[in-house]
Amino acid sequence: MDLIQTETPSAFPALCRECRFDTALIRPEETAELVAVNVSAWRQLLTSRDPARLSRRPMTGTNSALEHACHLWHASQDFDRVLWTELPHEGTVDQDQIQAPGFDRSNEQDPWIVAKGLEEATTSITTRLQGLSSRQWQHEIPWGPRLHTIESHVNQLLHQMVHRQHLVILSVLDMADR
Ligand SMILES: [Zn+2]
């Protein structure tokens, strides 16, 4: 099976041609549940497979399942920090969270720790998003050279979760073909 794989989905597609995720269908009030469902799927993937298979890259220049998960973990932790800065809050950013590893070390991580780290970061995000007003969902946050609204950024994170899982599933099927 020949695969056309896009490792990083583009910023704001309506309907992704590859994984079929459609950000236009997501309503802010559904976000927390969708994040939880996706994180649960990632946990299942990371904790039910042989770690050696999780760190296998399907082909040169692509990511292993573990690397995809670490990218998500990073993206979630970064977003959580930005939300902490941008939204009214009490206390400090949660220093007890396990820190996501550098990208060069992603493939050496314990999948159980990655699953836990991803869960912690995304739970923190959905807690911060609870009870946002419709105006706050449209609040713009700095993200690299761009400004994203909180709503568009959550949609993008959800798309990354789905898209990366789609790539992992395709790569498993692809390896089984050989
Ligand atoms: Zn996609």
Side-chain angles (χ1 to χ4, degrees):
M1 191 194 299
D2 282 333
L3 302 172
I4 300 165
Q5 295 189 335
T6 310
E7 293 285 317
T8 308
S10 59
F12 302 116
L15 170 66
C16 176
R17 286 183 299 125
E18 289 182 60
C19 73
R20 313 302 295 171
F21 187 80
D22 189 351
T23 50
L25 299 178
I26 310 295
R27 288 178 301 168
E29 59 270 28
E30 297 169 325
T31 303
E33 190 184 349
L34 290 172
V35 169
V37 167
N38 272 287
V39 170
S40 164
W42 275 98
R43 164 177 279 280
Q44 175 73 15
L45 179 88
L46 289 166
T47 57
S48 65
R49 297 182 68 81
D50 175 3
R53 294 192 67 183
L54 289 169
S55 59
R56 213 158 97 194
R57 296 188 182 107
M59 57 183 100
T60 315
T62 61
N63 289 320
S64 67
L66 198 53
E67 287 170 321
H68 278 298
C70 284
H71 275 284
L72 283 177
W73 183 7
H74 248 287
S76 304
Q77 214 157 48
D78 288 348
F79 184 37
D80 186 41
R81 286 198 195 97
V82 171
L83 286 177
W84 181 79
T85 314
E86 295 287 322
L87 292 172
H89 56 267
E90 292 174 8
T92 57
V93 69
D94 186 0
Q95 298 293 347
D96 295 335
Q97 276 192 27
I98 319 163
Q99 296 303 301
F103 291 126
D104 54 333
R105 291 179 30 245
S106 296
N107 229 10
E108 309 155 13
Q109 302 302 309
D110 176 341
W112 286 80
I113 304 277
V114 176
K116 186 172 188 315
L118 181 59
E119 195 167 351
E120 277 183 359
T122 50
T123 301
S124 180
I125 289 170
T126 51
T127 304
R128 294 187 201 286
L129 297 178
Q130 266 172 17
L132 286 197
S133 65
S134 44
R135 200 167 139 204
Q136 283 174 311
W137 278 103
Q138 298 311 313
H139 178 75
E140 287 183 324
I141 57 170
W143 198 261
R146 298 161 172 252
L147 285 174
H148 292 184
T149 66
I150 290 179
E151 181 179 5
S152 68
H153 196 83
V154 176
N155 288 347
Q156 195 190 341
L157 183 64
L158 272 167
H159 181 202
Q160 281 221 29
M161 288 182 165
V162 173
H163 195 98
R164 290 181 184 280
Q165 183 140 177
H166 165 80
L167 292 179
V168 169
I169 291 167
L170 285 185
S171 70
V172 169
L173 293 174
D174 193 35
M175 283 183 208
D177 263 7
R178 288 177 201 163

